[in-house]
Amino acid sequence: MYSETFVRTHAEHLPGKVTVVYGETFPTHTVDGVWLADVFRKRNIAAQFTQLLCKILPAFIANKIPSKLKGYPFDEALNEVAFAHFLTQNKIDVVLAEFFLKGVIVQKVCTKLGVPLVVHTHGGGDIVGVTDIQWYGPMYPDFFRNVSYVIVVDSFSAAQIIALGLPKEKLVTVGYGIDLNLFTQTSPAANPPHFFGIGRLVDKKAPLLSVLAFAKVFKNYPE
């Protein structure tokens, strides 16, 4: 999700030294494209030895060795170990997980290492997906118990996540901000009307409704 503009903005404006990693299910890469699993394997003698052993052993024996030990890059267990290795090697003081489910997924590693975890959700769709709740719901109790804070952007998200079981004292509500330095003041009356819509072309952003709304405005005010 590093392509999200608000995620990049956090990385650019947070104080202190910020190191960004991203991935689909589990964080797997740095923004420079470095695979955390590759770094782990190169620095872990046991992983190197196991990979070499698998090349020598007969296939029926090598296939019985767990993927985590063999270093298969798409193995979730390997990604989990590699992420833990990354946090330790880089002496990470706190993890900020963008999006609720990402926080749920990395919580186990952070708790095991004693690294505080703060999770930033980004609206209702991040925490009310029925399929996500069914799939990840069993992980929620441990997550709510071990997470340091969860940041939400509005009262709706706050109510939803409290209903899911987060203790109120761990909830922080911070609305989205705007960098005012990106804009200059002007008088709308002194300029012709300009309209624009912001949002990705996906269903939940309802771009068709924006088009229909602008069509109604144009019909009533053709100028």
Side-chain angles (χ1 to χ4, degrees):
M1 291 296 186
Y2 186 63
S3 61
E4 303 280 14
T5 54
F6 45 80
V7 173
R8 293 205 306 271
T9 300
H10 281 172
E12 293 167 359
H13 292 281
L14 283 172
K17 182 181 179 181
V18 178
T19 304
V20 178
V21 291
Y22 70 95
E24 285 297 325
T25 303
F26 218 88
T28 55
H29 290 77
T30 69
V31 292
D32 298 324
V34 176
W35 205 329
L36 302 186
D38 283 342
V39 176
F40 169 72
R41 285 197 296 261
K42 290 177 182 178
R43 295 183 180 180
N44 188 280
I45 297 177
Q48 295 178 28
F49 175 77
T50 305
Q51 285 182 296
L52 178 62
L53 192 63
C54 287
K55 295 179 181 179
I56 301 174
L57 292 172
F60 74 93
I61 297 178
N63 290 338
K64 294 182 180 180
I65 299 177
S67 297
K68 182 172 85 170
L69 297 179
K70 288 187 287 190
Y72 287 169
F74 295 106
D75 183 74
E76 287 301 320
L78 172 62
N79 289 331
E80 186 173 318
V81 172
F83 178 62
H85 178 265
F86 168 84
L87 296 181
T88 302
Q89 290 297 310
N90 289 275
K91 300 179 180 179
I92 301 299
D93 296 311
V94 60
V95 170
L96 171 63
E98 301 282 359
F99 295 97
F100 177 70
L101 290 181
K102 190 68 69 178
V104 172
I105 292 170
V106 303
Q107 175 273 137
K108 180 180 177 181
V109 171
C110 294
T111 300
K112 185 176 181 180
L113 295 178
V115 178
L117 171 64
V118 177
V119 177
H120 199 302
T121 71
H122 295 280
D126 187 23
I127 55 178
V128 298
V130 175
T131 301
D132 291 334
I133 293 176
Q134 291 175 342
W135 185 263
Y136 295 101
M139 301 169 67
Y140 286 1
D142 284 343
F143 169 74
F144 290 140
R145 181 169 56 253
N146 295 318
V147 69
S148 295
Y149 292 100
V150 175
I151 303 170
V152 297
V153 297
D154 52 38
S155 58
F156 172 80
S157 300
Q160 292 295 317
I161 203 165
I162 288 295
L164 289 174
L166 179 74
K168 291 184 178 181
E169 61 271 18
K170 292 186 176 184
L171 181 72
V172 179
T173 302
V174 181
Y176 283 135
I178 298 173
D179 185 354
L180 297 179
N181 293 322
L182 297 176
F183 303 92
T184 56
Q185 290 187 340
T186 184
S187 172
N191 299 284
H194 292 282
F195 298 90
F196 64 95
I198 299 177
R200 302 192 309 281
L201 297 179
V202 294
D203 289 345
K204 67 179 181 179
K205 300 296 183 181
L208 180 58
L209 293 183
S210 297
V211 174
L212 295 175
F214 283 128
K216 286 187 175 182
V217 173
F218 180 75
K219 182 178 179 180
N220 293 325
Y221 305 94
E223 72 284 4

